Amino acid sequence: MTIKTAYLNGVATLEIARPEKKNALTLAMYDALAQGLAAAQANDAVRAILITGQPGIFTSGNDLEDFMARPPQGPESPVYRFMQALIETDKPVIAAVTGAAIGIGTTLLLHCDFVYASDEARLALPFVSLGLVPEFASSLLLAQRIGAGRAAEKLLLGDPFSAPEAQELGLVNAVLSPNEVVLHARRVAERFNALPLAAVQASKRLMRAPQRQAVQAALAEEGRVFAERLRSPEAREAFQAFFEKRAPNFSHLG
């Protein structure tokens, strides 16, 4: 199982468990994550959801071989269903970022209510360097969260940044040691056992309501352009360079 699901003391844990591939996400894993989120949302015994990875790695983003063989195709794709499931859950979602969080490993954090990161974690948004564009409404939400200038740095240049910098930017609630990050995130998740669930859910819906339409619009437009970019010469060069373990050369492309 590359997505492990467990229920304990009111917390549904979704653990990305493919360390031999740096927790790279396949379509089957997105499908399992979407199903896990939907099941947790429907389970009255679940008061909070915890998303985590393996020691030293949260997720390296998409498995590029799987991704290119079966690119996402519209709202029925597992990737899109995962995104919608995370956006739509009104139970608290806590992320324990155990290590590197690349691409969607960072953008999914924008849709979590609490984010705790290991001091070993490195975050990165390398969409442009792959000839692509941001996803998961990050073109909207990141600028709102950290400001347009710093969002341009992260989304256009794609340089990795540390967990302490992510905390300073307001993307992470706290930075902890590798041994503490999951335990701390679980303790936060378990606090919701003592709180009235309906009030928590109503409060989360109210907090998210002003952004709902804008997030959906950004998600749809990003998806449209992302699909176009996947077929572009730049993306083909970037992906080929990745598989050949060389630097891409975009100089001959308009």
Side-chain angles (χ1 to χ4, degrees):
M1 292 292 292
T2 50
I3 301 296
K4 297 180 180 178
T5 303
Y7 295 88
L8 179 65
N9 196 22
V11 179
T13 300
L14 304 179
E15 179 184 350
I16 307 169
R18 198 187 178 207
E20 72 281 3
K21 293 291 187 178
K22 298 184 179 179
N23 278 3
L25 295 166
T26 63
L27 291 187
M29 293 168 72
Y30 280 118
D31 186 60
L33 286 167
Q35 291 185 45
L37 287 166
Q41 173 70 19
N43 189 333
D44 291 339
V46 171
R47 312 303 287 260
I49 300 165
L50 173 62
I51 301 176
T52 188
Q54 300 292 293
I57 181 72
F58 184 60
T59 174
S60 58
N62 290 313
D63 181 308
L64 292 185
E65 289 187 15
D66 183 80
F67 189 74
M68 291 306 292
R70 295 179 294 170
Q73 299 290 335
E76 295 306 312
S77 72
V79 178
Y80 190 82
R81 286 191 289 107
F82 162 66
M83 291 179 177
Q84 288 294 347
L86 185 54
I87 289 170
E88 291 170 7
T89 183
D90 57 12
K91 293 181 179 178
V93 179
I94 298 92
V97 183
T98 48
I102 310 301
I104 198 167
T106 292
T107 59
L108 75 82
L109 303 178
L110 298 170
H111 301 276
C112 296
D113 302 292
F114 301 86
V115 178
Y116 300 100
S118 161
D119 57 18
E120 296 179 343
R122 298 283 286 176
L123 293 77
L125 298 158
F127 302 110
V128 168
S129 64
L130 290 171
L132 303 173
V133 294
E135 35 84 316
F136 218 162
S138 59
S139 62
L140 168 74
L141 295 176
L142 192 65
Q144 290 181 343
R145 185 79 65 88
I146 71 175
R150 292 193 290 189
E153 271 188 350
K154 305 308 179 193
L155 290 173
L156 299 183
L157 297 177
D159 293 335
F161 55 105
S162 68
E165 183 181 355
Q167 183 181 19
E168 186 272 327
L169 291 170
L171 300 175
V172 166
N173 291 82
V175 177
L176 301 108
S177 71
N179 293 333
E180 275 292 309
V181 62
V182 176
L183 294 173
H184 181 81
R186 174 167 290 281
R187 286 194 292 267
V188 173
E190 290 177 349
R191 290 185 60 183
F192 288 96
N193 289 317
L195 293 170
L197 179 59
V200 169
Q201 290 177 292
S203 297
K204 178 170 174 175
R205 287 193 296 267
L206 287 168
M207 292 169 67
R208 298 293 177 102
Q211 286 283 89
R212 184 173 297 276
Q213 289 186 343
V215 166
Q216 291 295 341
L219 198 68
E221 182 63 9
E222 287 172 350
R224 184 188 69 78
V225 179
F226 197 100
E228 290 179 355
R229 296 300 310 159
L230 272 176
R231 299 187 294 271
S232 71
E234 291 176 337
R236 286 197 297 271
E237 165 61 16
F239 280 70
Q240 189 65 33
F242 175 86
F243 293 128
E244 293 175 358
K245 295 180 170 37
R246 60 173 174 83
N249 178 13
F250 301 118
S251 61
H252 62 292
L253 303 174

